[in-house]
Amino acid sequence: MTPSPTSCRRPRVLAVVTLFCPPPGVVDNLMTYVPHTDGLYIWDNTPGGARITWPTAIADRIVTHRLGANVGIARALNAARRMTLAEGYDLLLTMDQDSRFDADTFAAFVAEAARRSMAADDSGDAEARAFVPRINRQAEADAEAVEQTNFIVSGTLFTAAALRAAGPFDERLVIDAIDTDYALRLRRAGGHILQLPQANLVHSLGQPLTRRILCFHPCTLNYSPLRTFYIVRNHLYLRRAYSEFRRPDLLRTLVWKRPLYILLMEPQKGARLWAWCRGVWRGLRGDLGHDPYLLRGEPRPEAPDRMA
C-alpha cells in the first residue's frame, strides 16, 4: 500500500525556551534537542538581555524575543503557540532553560510522537494530544506508552490540534501551575496526554535545601518569595476553579507545609512568609487580578480565550 503524503512528511517542530539569567550550560542543554527541530523561539526575560553565542549549526533557526523585563513564561508560551499555528508547525516543544534530554533520546521521542499524531491525521481524526517523556528515568525503546493526567511545561510536545483545543495558556498565572491548568483544560476538551518511554528528560525542581533537625533530614525546595507567592496562589486557585483538580498531596507539600519549612530551614523568612500569606489570601478567593509581584507598566495579563 502506498503511504499517504501526510505519513511520508517529516513533522515540523518548533521549540520554545524562556531564558532568565541562563546558567553556563544552557547551550549544551539546547543542543540535546534543537538540532532535531525546525525552529527555536527564545523568549529572553533576562534584564538587559542574555549574552550567549549560539553555535553556527542552530543559529539560522533561532528567533529571539525580548521585552527587557521578566514577564514570566505564560506570555512566551502563547507567543510560541501563535507561531506554531500561524506558520504551520506540526508540534510545539516547550522547555525550561535548565532541562535537557538524555543521551540523544529526543529524536526517538519526536519520531514516536509524529508516528502517533500523523496516524491520527491520516484517519481523519486530528486528535488533540500532548506527549511527555520520562523524567529522570532511563528511556526504554520497547516499553509501552502510558496515559497521563498531567505534565510539566519542560519536555512536552503539543500537537497543533491540542493547542487549538485547549486555547491559549493563562497569562494571569505568570509562572507556576501553568502546566497543570493547561492539562486540565486539554482533558476537558477531550484531549489526551501520553507518556512516551523513548526519551528521558533530565529535570530538577527548585534549589533543594537539606538540614539536620534532631534525627531527621528534611528537604525543602527552597523557593524564593516570588515563586512562593505564585506556587501558593495558583495551586489554591486551581482547587477552586476545577472540580476535577483533586491533589491534596500536592497542596500539602507545596502550600500547607511551606511555613514550617520556611521557619525551620530557609533564608528570607520574613519575605517568604509574607509572600505565602498573600498567596493564600489571593488563592482562596480565586483572585488572579491583583498581583503584587507583576512588574508595573506591563500589559495586564488576561484570562485565556478558548476561541483564540
Side-chain angles (χ1 to χ4, degrees):
M1 183 176 72
T2 303
S4 70
T6 303
S7 60
C8 290
R9 179 174 62 83
R10 186 179 73 84
R12 297 183 68 230
V13 182
L14 176 68
V16 58
V17 62
T18 305
L19 301 182
F20 179 72
C21 301
V26 67
V27 173
D28 293 335
N29 292 339
L30 267 63
M31 290 302 290
T32 65
Y33 56 88
V34 173
H36 303 285
T37 68
D38 300 275
L40 173 62
Y41 190 101
I42 294 176
W43 185 286
D44 190 359
N45 278 334
T46 306
R51 304 291 191 269
I52 298 176
T53 301
W54 301 110
T56 304
I58 66 170
D60 62 348
R61 70 189 73 179
I62 295 176
V63 174
T64 302
H65 188 110
R66 180 161 56 87
L67 293 179
N70 182 9
V71 295
I73 66 172
R75 197 177 300 181
L77 295 175
N78 276 334
R81 175 184 175 273
R82 288 191 295 270
M83 179 180 288
T84 300
L85 298 179
E87 299 189 11
Y89 286 96
D90 300 292
L91 297 167
L92 173 64
L93 171 71
T94 56
M95 291 292 295
D96 288 348
Q97 64 180 6
D98 52 0
S99 296
R100 62 181 176 84
F101 281 90
D102 189 28
D104 300 321
T105 60
F106 180 70
F109 180 49
V110 169
E112 182 62 15
R115 184 184 72 81
R116 291 175 179 271
S117 59
M118 293 296 185
D121 287 346
D122 287 345
S123 67
D125 177 23
E127 194 168 316
R129 294 182 178 179
F131 300 100
V132 299
R134 289 182 171 179
I135 299 176
N136 299 326
R137 292 174 52 205
Q138 184 175 356
E140 295 183 63
D142 300 325
E144 294 293 327
V146 180
E147 186 85 14
Q148 302 288 302
T149 59
N150 202 2
F151 53 76
I152 63 173
V153 164
S154 195
T156 299
L157 276 170
F158 297 94
T159 63
L163 296 174
R164 293 190 187 96
F169 295 87
D170 194 338
E171 295 185 9
R172 299 173 303 166
L173 299 174
V174 185
I175 298 174
D176 291 289
I178 295 168
D179 39 19
T180 304
D181 172 78
Y182 208 71
L184 288 163
R185 287 196 280 126
L186 177 60
R187 293 176 62 215
R188 276 189 174 184
H192 296 274
I193 303 166
L194 202 61
Q195 184 186 69
L196 305 182
Q198 285 79 12
N200 172 42
L201 182 78
V202 181
H203 179 76
S204 61
L205 291 172
Q207 298 176 326
L209 180 66
T210 302
R211 289 280 188 269
R212 180 178 179 180
I213 301 176
L214 300 178
C215 60
F216 302 100
H217 295 82
C219 179
T220 174
L221 294 177
N222 194 26
Y223 289 117
S224 67
L226 180 144
R227 291 294 307 281
T228 295
F229 171 80
Y230 285 122
I231 288 170
V232 170
R233 185 197 68 168
N234 293 355
H235 282 89
L236 290 177
Y237 163 79
L238 292 182
R239 188 188 68 166
R240 181 185 178 98
Y242 295 93
S243 59
E244 62 268 43
F245 180 63
R246 291 289 180 264
R247 290 296 305 276
D249 57 327
L250 193 65
L251 292 173
R252 185 168 54 250
T253 299
L254 295 180
V255 178
W256 304 122
K257 286 185 176 181
R258 282 293 293 144
L260 181 63
Y261 284 128
I262 292 170
L263 287 170
L264 293 179
M265 303 173 62
E266 299 182 15
Q268 298 180 287
K269 298 184 189 302
R272 295 184 186 197
L273 286 173
W274 181 233
W276 181 85
C277 291
R278 298 172 99 175
V280 169
W281 174 245
R282 299 296 181 194
L284 289 176
R285 299 174 63 202
D287 182 2
L288 299 183
H290 298 84
D291 188 338
Y293 286 95
L294 195 65
L295 296 180
R296 299 292 188 269
E298 294 296 336
R300 170 65 63 185
E302 297 180 354
D305 181 354
R306 291 290 297 275
M307 301 303 294

